[in-house]
Amino acid sequence: TIFLTKSAKIEYLKESKTNILFPFVINDDEINNAKLILTREGKYDGWHEVYGIDENNKKCIKAKIQVYLKLRN
């Protein structure tokens, strides 16, 4: 499978002076939907949301990521 980030929309929520982690989590329904579309159409294009969390456990960044998956021939 080919994977790439097609687009990203970034919203800065607050300043951080520490490292920021982006714990990207998708649930079973999102996985099953992506698999269904990928199997049926040979590609998947969808938006997912992730937050950047600083070392003080504060949300500093909100990102919407457009992922693209395509089956290899």
Side-chain angles (χ1 to χ4, degrees):
T1 304
I2 298 167
F3 169 84
L4 59 96
T5 300
K6 192 171 181 181
S7 183
K9 296 178 182 179
I10 309 298
E11 180 182 346
Y12 294 97
L13 303 175
K14 65 176 275 181
E15 181 180 12
S16 176
K17 302 225 186 241
T18 70
N19 292 326
I20 298 176
L21 297 176
F22 291 86
F24 192 84
V25 178
I26 55 175
N27 64 40
D28 289 341
D29 288 339
E30 291 172 306
I31 292 170
N32 291 333
N33 183 53
K35 280 182 175 180
L36 178 67
I37 293 169
L38 190 58
T39 302
R40 188 176 58 219
E41 299 178 17
K43 62 183 177 177
Y44 169 78
D45 185 340
W47 287 92
H48 299 274
E49 192 169 271
V50 63
Y51 285 92
I53 311 294
D54 71 9
E55 292 176 359
N56 299 311
N57 208 31
K58 304 283 185 190
K59 291 180 180 178
C60 298
I61 298 171
K62 178 180 176 182
K64 292 184 179 179
I65 309 296
Q66 183 181 20
V67 297
Y68 178 80
L69 298 167
K70 183 176 179 181
L71 294 176
R72 292 181 191 257
N73 293 336

